[in-house]
């Protein structure tokens, strides 16, 4: 018996008899791609996982890989490189996935990362020339607007909480108020520094 990571992306370990491993050529192609995807995700080889997820053409598998990619320059570069190598059908699949993911607030960030990768890897003319691209991009607008409005409300609420905490510090005794004011100034400086990035 040999263990391989389960292809259902749940990261469990499955035991496969050794003769079954040797007869991989008789397995369906999609099953082998799922095995490659699961093993690449388990070993954090996100480039191979992204390629396998794009070959599967399954939105959930692709979303899991995009979410697992670190939100750094390197992670975004890997995503852009993989999307840039796609043909028209693959680009349409990425746009369809972004449209689907954007309908929920939980996956809207992932949808916008994918949309950013598509728009940064191809020119606007190339994206506009795709069949059905106009409809896909127009479908993104209403949900994106709702997400941005929700984020604006959250930002305003966070400013209100900061104001309330600052006002409450005035009720502290003079020695404690100075220490609390120094902590609040550092917290506000950190908040503005993270927003600038």
């Amino acid at each position: 018996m040999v263990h391989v990571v389960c292809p259902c992306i749940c990261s469990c370990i499955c035991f496969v008899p050794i003769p079954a491993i040797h007869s991989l050529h008789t397995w369906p192609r999609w099953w082998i791609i799922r095995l490659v995807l699961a093993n690449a995700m388990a070993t954090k080889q996100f480039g191979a996982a992204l390629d396998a997820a794009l070959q599967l053409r399954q939105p959930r598998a692709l979303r899991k890989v995009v979410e697992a990619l670190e939100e750094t320059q390197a992670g975004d570069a890997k995503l852009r490189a993989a999307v840039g190598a796609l043909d028209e059908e693959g680009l349409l699949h990425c746009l369809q996935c972004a449209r689907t993911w954007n309908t929920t607030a939980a996956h809207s960030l992932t949808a916008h990362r994918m949309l950013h990768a598509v728009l940064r890897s191809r020119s606007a003319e190339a994206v506009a020339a795709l069949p059905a691209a106009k409809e896909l991009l127009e479908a993104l607008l209403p949900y994106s607007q709702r997400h941005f409005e929700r984020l604006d409300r959250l930002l305003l609420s966070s400013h209100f909480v900061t104001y309330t905490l600052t006002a409450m510090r005035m009720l502290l005794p003079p020695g404690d108020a100075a220490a609390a004011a120094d902590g609040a100034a550092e917290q506000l400086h950190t908040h503005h520094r993270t927003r600038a990035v």
Side-chain angles (χ1 to χ4, degrees):
M1 298 289 266
V2 175
H3 71 278
V4 294
V5 177
C6 179
C8 64
I9 312 176
C10 63
S11 299
C12 64
I13 303 296
C14 297
F15 289 94
V16 178
I18 290 177
I21 293 293
H22 292 298
S23 63
L24 279 177
H25 66 279
T26 62
W27 289 19
R29 185 176 183 279
W30 63 269
W31 187 259
I32 294 172
I33 294 172
R34 287 186 68 102
L35 281 173
V36 168
L37 172 63
N39 286 323
M41 289 290 288
T43 57
K44 299 190 184 304
Q45 296 174 345
F46 296 117
L50 196 57
D51 291 338
L54 287 169
Q55 287 178 21
L56 280 176
R57 298 282 195 253
Q58 294 177 347
R60 182 175 181 264
L62 183 58
R63 191 191 74 223
K64 292 283 188 188
V65 174
V66 173
E67 288 173 348
L69 276 170
E70 60 274 2
E71 291 186 28
T72 61
Q73 294 282 343
D76 289 339
K78 286 179 189 176
L79 184 59
R80 276 197 312 272
V83 170
L86 292 176
D87 58 351
E88 285 187 5
E89 184 182 337
L91 278 177
L92 281 175
H93 174 68
C94 289
L95 288 174
Q96 290 167 345
C97 289
R99 178 196 58 195
T100 303
W101 302 335
N102 199 38
T103 58
T104 60
H107 306 304
S108 64
L109 180 61
T110 307
H112 284 271
R113 280 186 76 193
M114 178 59 76
L115 183 62
H116 182 262
V118 168
L119 295 176
R120 293 283 294 202
S121 66
R122 300 289 172 101
S123 66
E125 294 81 20
V127 174
L130 294 171
K134 180 181 178 187
E135 291 83 13
L136 289 171
L137 294 175
E138 285 177 352
L140 285 165
L141 291 176
Y143 286 104
S144 296
Q145 186 174 358
R146 290 180 196 159
H147 296 313
F148 290 135
E149 288 171 359
R150 178 179 49 85
L151 291 174
D152 281 340
R153 287 192 306 270
L154 286 172
L155 183 62
L156 286 173
S157 297
S158 71
H159 288 303
F160 180 71
V161 169
T162 303
Y163 170 76
T164 304
L165 289 174
T166 304
M168 289 174 61
R169 284 190 183 96
M170 286 191 241
L171 300 175
L172 293 174
D176 292 338
D182 290 340
E186 177 61 31
Q187 182 183 14
L188 186 61
H189 178 68
T190 304
H191 173 71
H192 285 295
R193 189 174 14 170
T194 57
R195 283 191 61 208
V197 174

